[in-house]
Amino acid sequence: MRETFYVTTPIYYPSDRLHIGHAYTTTIADALARYHRLAGRDVFFLTGSDEHGQKIQRRAAEKGMPPQKYVDEIVASFQELWRRLNISYDDFIRTTEPRHERVVQHIFRRIQEKGDIYKSEYEGWYCTPCETFWLERQLVDGKCPDCGRPVELLREESYFFRLSRYQERLRRHIEEHPEFIQPASRRNEMLKFLDQGLEDLCISRTTFDWGIPVPTDPRHVVYVWFDALSNYLTGVGYLQDEEKFRRYWPADLHLVGKEIVRFHTIIWPIMLMALDLPLPKTVFGHGWLIIEGDKMSKSKGNVVDPHLLIDEFGADAIRYFLLREISFGQDGNFSRSALIQRLNSDLANDLGNLIHRTAAMLERYFQGQVPEPGQAEDLDLELPRLAGQVVEEYRRCMETYELNEAWAAVWRLIGRANKYIDEAAPWALARQGQQDRLARVMYNLAETIRLVAILVYPAMPGTAQRIWGQLGLAGTVEEAGLAACQWGRLPAGLRMRREPPLFPRIEEEGEGVEAGRAGAGRSTAREGTAPGQTPAQAASAGVPAASASAPQPLPEITLEDFAKLELRVAKVLAAERVAGADKLLKLQIDLGGERRQIVAGIALHYRPEELVGRLIVVVANLKPARLKGELSQGMLLAASTEDGTALGLVVPERPLPPGSRVK
Ligand code: MSP
C-alpha cells in the first residue's frame, strides 16, 4: 500500500468573507498536499467551514437572514476563492451537513457513556468572537485574553467534559513526541499552559439553538469547538467509510494559526483519547500575517481581499509570495511593496530570465530543439551537482516543514543557472564554432528548467505546468513526480517554445517603483546575476549579461560630441504592435508637455501592455523617420546582447518627471 498523507486546514467561520490570512493557511496546506502527491503518496487534503455557534447565529440575525441561508451564501464564496487560488482539496466539510451531525452526536454519546461527560452549571465568561470560555482570573483588564474584545457573563446549565482526567496522559504524550506540537515554541507554551492545571470544559449551551442538539438532551446544543474539531474525523469517513478512515487516520498534519493551537493540542487530543483513537502526528501552529505591523481586522479597515490580489497578480504569484516571504512558523508582514518586490525579483527576474534566455538561445542555435548534450567541461558539471543537492535539501525541508528554505534552495539553483549562462557564454561558443560544448551548455540549461518546473509545482502549479508544456514535455508535472528530478531525464530533440514572459515585471508609480527596483537590485546581489546590470535590465525579459555585450571599441568622442545628443526621460502613454511588422512597437510618449510617437524594434522582448506607464530614455533630437509607414519622432534606448537574444530598456533608476534631461 502507498504511504498516505492526511493534511487539514482549520475550518473557517462563515462570519465574514475570507481574507488573505485564511488564504495563507490554505495555500500552505495545498502546497504540502501537492508536494506529497509529487512524492508519490496517497494524499487526503481536507478543508471546510465551521458553521454553528452563537457568533454565526448573531451574524445571520444582523443580516436579517435565517442562519442556514446566510452560511450557504458565504460558504459558496469560500469555495469560489479556493477555486480561484487553485486549491486542490479532496473534500470540503461543512459542519451543517448531516454526515457531520451524526458523527458529533455519536462522539458526544460515546464519551458520555464512558463517564467523561457530566451535567452541571456553568458560571463564567464567554468571548463570542473566539467562541471561548474564560475564568475570571484569565481575563486581561476584564477582556478576552486572546482577542482583547469584551466578554459576556454566562450562567447556564451545561454539560462538562472531564479534561482534568486526561491531563497527565496528555503531558506525557507531548513530552514523548516532540513532533506533536510544532514549532517548538508553541510546544513550550502548551506545556506551560498544562502546568496551570486543566479545568473541565463546558461543552454545551442552552441560550441559543444554532448548533447540533445534544443527543440525550436536545435543549442543549453542542459547544461549537467540540463540534468543529470533530470535522477531522467526519472528513475521512469516521463511522461511515471504515476503509477510508483506517487508511488516513491519524492525520499527519493539522495546520492551524497560532491562536487556535490550544484547541488542537489540548481539547482535541483529549477528545481522541476519550474515544480511544490515535492522536494526529503533528499540529503545526503557524504565525500571523500582519499588515504594516498591525493585526488584520475589519474595524481597522486593513483587511486584504485575496480576490483583488488574484485579479491583479494572478493566483500563482500570490501563492508564491505567501509561501516564500513569510518565515514559516513566525509572524510576517504583508505589504503591497513587499509583494511587488518579491514578484519582480524572483519571478520576473530570476525565473523569467532563465526561461526566456534559454528559449531564445535554443531557438537561435538549435532551431528550438534541445540538443544531445556534448562533451562537458568542469564548469558544466557544477550545475548537475548543485541540482542533486538542491533536490535533496528541498525534500528534507518539505518533510520537516521548513518551507521557506525549500524555496530558497530552488532559487539558488535558478540563480546558479543564470550565472552559468554568463560564465559559459553560449554566444561566444557559437561564434567560435564550439558546437559540441554549446550543446552541452544548452542541454544543462533546459534540464535545469525541467527540474525547476517540478520543484516549483507545489507553490505554483499553473506556472509549473506551463513551463513543462513550453519545454515540449508531455503529461503533467504531478504525474512525473519528484522521481523525475533525476538529472539527465530530459530527452534530446524536444522543441522548446519561445513564449511571452510568465511574469511581466510590475512597475508602479511613486514609492512602488522604488520599492520594486530595490527588490530587483537586492535579488541581483543575492543571486549573483551578472554584475553591472541596472535593476530594470535585470528585470526585463532578457538580461543582457556583461560578458555578452562586450562592446567593440569605437573612436573616441569629445564632451561636445556627446552634448549634441538630446537624451530625455519620457513616459509611455500607450503602446501597440505595428501591423505587418513583428519586431516593431508603436509608442505614444510624454516628453514633458510634448506628446510624440516613436517606433521601436522591441516587440520580441516586450509586450505592449508591459510598457504603458513606464519611464524610458529617448534620443529626442534624432531626425524623424518612417518605419513601416509609421512616423517615429525619436528613438528609445535599450541595451542588448551581441547576438540580440536578450534586450532590456534603459530607464532612470528613480521616478523623474517626463522631459528630464539625461547627461
Ligand atoms: N472556526 C475556527 C477553526 C476551527 S478548526 C476545527 C476558526 N476559524 S477562523 O475563521 O477564525 O479561522 C482562523 C484561522 O484562519 C487561523 O487559525 C489561521 O489559520 C487563519 N488566519 C486568520 N487570520 C490570519 C492571519 N492574519 N494570518 C494568518 N492566518 C490567519 O478559528
Side-chain angles (χ1 to χ4, degrees):
M1 208 173 75
R2 269 196 303 160
E3 216 182 314
T4 58
F5 187 78
Y6 175 25
V7 55
T8 68
T9 72
I11 49 172
Y12 305 108
Y13 289 127
S15 48
D16 240 312
R17 293 172 75 83
L18 297 178
H19 57 58
I20 193 72
H22 305 104
Y24 176 61
T25 312
T26 309
T27 298
I28 297 167
D30 187 63
L32 285 167
R34 289 179 185 274
Y35 164 78
H36 285 278
R37 288 190 200 113
L38 271 190
R41 301 200 176 100
D42 171 3
V43 170
F44 195 79
F45 171 20
L46 181 71
T47 188
S49 48
D50 184 359
E51 305 185 10
H52 290 127
Q54 190 159 21
K55 169 160 71 173
I56 301 298
Q57 186 163 15
R58 284 187 186 161
R59 283 292 283 161
E62 277 163 34
K63 300 259 173 191
M65 288 166 88
Q68 189 66 52
K69 183 161 186 296
Y70 167 76
V71 295
D72 284 351
E73 275 182 21
I74 298 239
V75 170
S77 79
F78 288 12
Q79 291 169 335
E80 171 61 8
L81 176 60
W82 301 149
R83 190 190 61 72
R84 294 197 66 204
L85 249 191
N86 214 345
I87 301 299
S88 60
Y89 56 76
D90 294 292
D91 201 348
F92 187 101
I93 174 106
R94 299 185 54 181
T95 55
T96 51
E97 287 175 76
R99 61 168 171 160
H100 181 65
E101 303 200 352
R102 252 197 338 269
V103 167
V104 170
Q105 291 195 327
H106 172 95
I107 292 177
F108 197 100
R109 195 181 272 123
R110 180 123 180 240
I111 300 181
Q112 195 171 19
E113 282 164 8
K114 220 178 161 186
D116 286 337
I117 289 179
Y118 61 92
K119 189 146 92 178
S120 178
E121 183 167 89
Y122 178 74
E123 190 177 346
W125 299 93
Y126 194 74
C127 173
T128 305
C130 296
E131 301 280 18
T132 307
F133 298 95
W134 295 111
L135 299 170
E136 178 87 35
R137 65 173 158 82
Q138 292 173 311
L139 301 181
V140 175
D141 298 331
K143 305 253 174 65
C144 170
D146 274 359
C147 73
R149 282 176 284 204
V151 286
E152 299 167 53
L153 189 60
L154 299 186
R155 185 181 177 151
E156 57 188 68
E157 181 187 272
S158 290
Y159 285 91
F160 283 81
F161 180 23
R162 283 187 215 282
L163 294 190
S164 49
R165 178 180 274 181
Y166 293 88
Q167 175 169 324
E168 285 318 307
R169 212 174 125 190
L170 177 62
R171 176 195 299 283
R172 263 202 316 282
H173 184 85
I174 297 175
E175 282 168 353
E176 286 166 13
H177 298 86
E179 75 289 355
F180 178 53
I181 307 179
Q182 294 186 49
S185 55
R186 314 242 187 267
R187 175 168 176 264
N188 296 336
E189 278 167 34
M190 289 304 115
L191 284 169
K192 264 201 215 113
F193 183 82
L194 278 178
D195 286 344
Q196 295 163 20
L198 285 183
E199 303 280 336
D200 288 348
L201 176 72
C202 179
I203 52 163
S204 77
R205 301 286 310 271
T206 54
T207 45
F208 64 90
D209 62 3
W210 182 238
I212 299 174
V214 168
T216 50
D217 192 352
R219 283 182 309 116
H220 290 249
V221 291
V222 175
Y223 171 44
V224 62
W225 269 102
F226 191 94
D227 166 349
L229 289 162
S230 310
N231 92 86
Y232 301 130
L233 291 178
T234 312
V236 277
Y238 183 57
L239 302 177
Q240 299 150 74
D241 182 343
E242 272 310 307
E243 197 249 305
K244 182 174 180 182
F245 182 66
R246 268 202 310 275
R247 179 145 42 113
Y248 294 114
W249 192 262
D252 293 273
L253 175 65
H254 292 314
L255 183 66
V256 300
K258 64 181 182 181
E259 81 292 355
I260 58 173
V261 167
R262 188 161 40 89
F263 296 92
H264 285 80
T265 58
I266 308 278
I267 302 176
W268 179 229
I270 293 184
M271 284 172 70
L272 292 166
M273 285 175 184
L275 291 167
D276 298 311
L277 288 173
L279 305 192
K281 202 168 143 208
T282 297
V283 174
F284 195 107
H286 66 66
W288 282 339
L289 278 194
I290 304 284
I291 308 294
E292 326 252 306
D294 235 353
K295 215 183 149 185
M296 221 181 313
S297 83
K298 236 168 77 172
S299 53
K300 289 187 192 123
N302 63 354
V303 174
V304 177
D305 179 352
H307 282 285
L308 298 179
L309 292 176
I310 298 170
D311 289 344
E312 191 174 354
F313 302 102
D316 276 2
I318 302 304
R319 290 172 59 108
Y320 175 71
F321 175 75
L322 293 174
L323 288 161
R324 177 72 175 91
E325 183 80 6
I326 293 117
S327 256
F328 189 48
Q330 290 162 27
D331 289 352
N333 213 45
F334 180 91
S335 75
R336 189 181 167 80
S337 62
L339 171 68
I340 291 176
Q341 259 184 46
R342 182 57 83 178
L343 302 186
N344 279 344
S345 70
D346 292 14
L347 301 184
N349 187 11
D350 300 342
L351 177 61
N353 275 339
L354 174 61
I355 294 171
H356 182 81
R357 295 174 80 184
T358 303
M361 289 188 290
L362 270 178
E363 187 173 287
R364 193 173 178 94
Y365 305 130
F366 295 99
Q367 295 78 49
Q369 281 193 346
V370 175
E372 282 292 347
Q375 273 295 313
E377 292 191 0
D378 281 353
L379 178 64
D380 307 319
L381 300 176
E382 233 181 82
L383 205 55
R385 204 176 307 129
L386 180 69
Q389 288 163 8
V390 161
V391 171
E392 272 322 295
E393 186 174 341
Y394 169 89
R395 271 182 188 268
R396 184 181 57 71
C397 294
M398 293 299 263
E399 305 279 343
T400 53
Y401 305 128
E402 292 163 84
L403 302 190
N404 314 80
E405 296 308 314
W407 313 123
V410 178
W411 257 257
R412 264 208 314 284
L413 179 61
I414 295 173
R416 184 68 193 90
N418 272 322
K419 202 160 158 231
Y420 175 63
I421 300 182
D422 302 331
E423 291 169 354
W427 45 89
L429 298 175
R431 213 174 29 231
Q432 295 151 11
Q434 295 192 43
Q435 213 43 27
D436 197 47
R437 171 88 200 289
L438 179 62
R440 159 64 63 174
V441 173
M442 293 316 302
Y443 181 89
N444 279 358
L445 291 169
E447 177 60 333
T448 304
I449 292 174
R450 186 184 69 89
L451 297 197
V452 166
I454 300 173
L455 299 176
V456 300
Y457 171 78
M460 299 189 287
T463 302
Q465 192 59 44
R466 257 183 78 186
I467 300 173
W468 198 252
Q470 193 177 347
L471 273 173
L473 288 158
T476 65
V477 177
E478 191 174 312
E479 285 157 11
L482 274 186
C485 275
Q486 231 173 39
W487 185 272
R489 289 253 198 127
L490 177 70
L494 289 180
R495 220 188 126 70
M496 184 175 187
R497 290 194 304 272
R498 255 181 103 164
E499 286 185 2
L502 289 167
F503 295 97
R505 184 179 164 74
I506 302 147
E507 290 284 353
E508 284 223 307
E509 289 292 327
E511 282 174 33
V513 173
E514 286 202 78
R517 290 189 177 154
R522 190 194 57 191
S523 151
T524 300
R526 195 185 59 227
E527 308 288 4
T529 337
Q533 292 170 346
T534 67
Q537 283 171 328
S540 74
V543 178
S547 51
S549 48
Q552 294 302 316
L554 292 172
E556 220 168 57
I557 60 166
T558 63
L559 206 52
E560 280 115 55
D561 291 329
F562 179 72
K564 286 185 194 153
L565 286 176
E566 192 191 337
L567 300 174
R568 290 194 188 276
V569 172
K571 181 169 179 178
V572 180
L573 303 171
E576 61 180 303
R577 295 186 186 280
V578 175
D582 53 13
K583 290 194 182 140
L584 297 184
L585 290 184
K586 183 168 75 175
L587 311 180
Q588 307 305 324
I589 58 168
D590 175 4
L591 252 183
E594 188 195 348
R595 215 182 134 134
R596 287 197 193 174
Q597 170 170 300
I598 58 172
V599 177
I602 56 172
L604 295 180
H605 304 273
Y606 288 93
R607 292 184 300 183
E609 60 273 21
E610 265 182 271
L611 295 172
V612 176
R614 292 187 67 165
L615 295 176
I616 54 175
V617 175
V618 299
V619 187
N621 60 340
L622 192 71
K623 191 169 161 207
R626 275 191 188 275
L627 291 154
K628 288 271 171 192
E630 295 286 356
L631 181 66
S632 185
Q633 305 161 287
M635 183 177 84
L636 64 68
L637 296 192
S640 59
T641 49
E642 216 185 344
D643 65 4
T645 54
L647 177 144
L649 293 175
V650 173
V651 303
E653 193 271 336
R654 295 221 158 105
L656 289 167
S660 303
R661 182 88 195 261
V662 179
K663 32 186 197 218

